[in-house]
Amino acid sequence: MADLLTHVLSAYVLATLLSLRDDRVTPAMVTAAMVGGLVPDLNRLGLLVPSSTAESILGVPFGWDALLTVGGVAVVIALGTLLVPRQLRRTTAAMLSLGSLSHFVLDSLLLFPSGYTHPYLWPVTAAGLPGPNLFLSSARWPAAVAVVVAGSTWFVARRHGGADGSG
Amino acid sequence: MRSVRRGVAIAACCTLLLVLLVGYGTLTPDPATGRFPSNGAVAAGTVDTGDRVVVAGTARGDTTEGTVVDLDGGPRVVVRGLDAAPGADVWLYGIYRDGSIRNVRAIVRAPWEITYLYAVSLLGGLLTLGRVVRTWRVDTDRWQVVPRDRGEESDG
């Protein structure tokens, strides 16, 4: 994972720019994109309850990292979409997916010691992919760049009537 | 009727999510596809000499044989060819040989870098939570999450 601030700000920027062209992308939908940006990192629930603990409680194999895959994220997005009114489901699903997709794109650029990424495409394939190994999750510059770009986007949205830009 | 269908769909998604969490837990290392044995395999003693591993832990200082690393949730191992100060966070790809690991490629980070990662991530989470509270609300009559009306939104 790149840091979560970079992920949610990236989703904010993409959704806010979309709001300049599409009235369906309201401030609430920009928020939905930001929530989508953090969905893959729900695997960090493993910091609270390690997979090994869950395994011993349930008595079956268990891996929180399923949430850091397209399969796990798709199901969480489906759940999130079912929580909103019927007429908003399509837009909400699109915004959650936008945020999650940007998360996967950023994470696929990360540096891994083996040179192979986490198996993000599971269950389509359990293979790690050879990544470009561009930066570390703890690098400081991605968040700095994200803050500057998000601030600029907020300013542009204010001037051109996009979603409120309050992120 | 719609609410029943919605309830069934939510239950189905929860079940499917549980199936995926369990299914992922059954994955075993497969170096041919980029999934290498990790801390758990080293702890369980299921790696053999010559196996490639990816492990994470904390450096504890140098010996004549190499750098001592306490694996997260696992045993203490000696890593040869590693340059890491005591206390540094280590994430490395290497080759296992008779209880030690020869480093091939390591990511070594000072503890504050990990603290930074989690602190800035917490900030991102709180930022999103704040926006969720300001732009969405729970409709307890229909048990749905609905956008706040424009008039209700603060535009901070």
Side-chain angles (χ1 to χ4, degrees):
Chain A
M1 53 175 269
D3 67 81
L4 198 49
L5 182 63
T6 298
H7 284 308
V8 298
L9 289 181
S10 299
Y12 166 80
V13 167
L14 293 172
T16 302
L17 292 178
L18 273 177
S19 76
L20 297 174
R21 289 294 187 93
D22 192 332
D23 289 342
R24 290 173 297 181
V25 186
T26 60
M29 289 303 162
V30 173
T31 304
M34 293 170 72
V35 170
L38 61 77
V39 165
D41 276 348
L42 288 177
N43 73 325
R44 295 286 152 174
L45 288 169
L47 293 173
L48 301 175
V49 182
S51 294
S52 55
T53 304
E55 279 187 9
S56 57
I57 293 172
L58 298 173
V60 290
F62 194 90
W64 285 116
D65 281 348
L67 294 168
L68 186 55
T69 66
V70 292
V73 164
V75 177
V76 173
I77 287 176
L79 267 173
T81 303
L82 286 167
L83 297 180
V84 304
R86 174 177 288 267
Q87 67 272 21
L88 294 176
R89 284 182 188 163
R90 187 170 295 186
T91 310
T92 303
M95 290 296 106
L96 288 170
S97 301
L98 175 71
S100 293
L101 184 64
S102 72
H103 187 125
F104 282 126
V105 169
L106 283 174
D107 272 8
S108 68
L109 303 178
L110 286 175
L111 179 58
F112 291 85
S114 69
Y116 288 89
T117 67
H118 178 79
Y120 295 119
L121 298 180
W122 187 82
V124 178
T125 172
L129 306 173
N133 294 294
L134 290 181
F135 64 95
L136 279 172
S137 57
S138 54
R140 270 70 69 197
W141 64 264
V145 170
V147 167
V148 170
V149 175
S152 304
T153 304
W154 175 83
F155 185 73
V156 169
R158 281 282 183 186
R159 287 179 66 95
H160 293 89
D164 70 8
S166 57
Chain B
M1 189 62 192
R2 274 184 180 175
S3 62
V4 172
R5 282 209 304 264
R6 178 168 166 263
V8 169
I10 289 174
C13 283
C14 290
T15 304
L16 182 56
L17 189 58
L18 187 61
V19 168
L20 288 174
L21 290 165
V22 171
Y24 195 91
T26 65
L27 286 182
T28 53
D30 181 10
T33 60
R35 296 197 320 277
F36 301 95
S38 58
N39 290 24
V42 175
T46 56
V47 287
D48 296 321
T49 290
D51 282 352
R52 292 172 289 166
V53 296
V54 174
V55 295
T58 306
R60 294 301 182 202
D62 293 338
T63 67
T64 53
E65 296 179 354
T67 303
V68 175
V69 175
D70 280 340
L71 299 185
D72 298 335
R76 173 170 286 195
V77 297
V78 172
V79 179
R80 288 174 284 125
L82 176 66
D83 181 14
D89 181 88
V90 178
W91 185 26
L92 69 89
Y93 168 65
I95 298 173
Y96 185 84
R97 190 172 301 281
D98 298 329
S100 66
I101 296 171
R102 180 166 63 77
N103 174 40
V104 174
R105 187 183 194 185
I107 294 170
V108 179
R109 291 181 280 196
W112 70 264
E113 292 182 270
I114 306 301
T115 304
Y116 161 81
L117 172 62
Y118 284 110
V120 79
S121 293
L122 179 64
L123 181 62
L126 292 174
L127 182 70
T128 307
L129 180 64
R131 268 199 74 114
V132 168
V133 171
R134 281 191 295 110
T135 57
W136 293 83
R137 64 183 176 83
V138 177
D139 177 355
T140 50
D141 292 335
R142 297 182 179 177
W143 289 109
Q144 289 180 328
V145 183
V146 298
R148 291 186 187 277
D149 294 334
R150 284 269 176 184
E152 290 182 59
E153 287 171 9
S154 62
D155 59 354

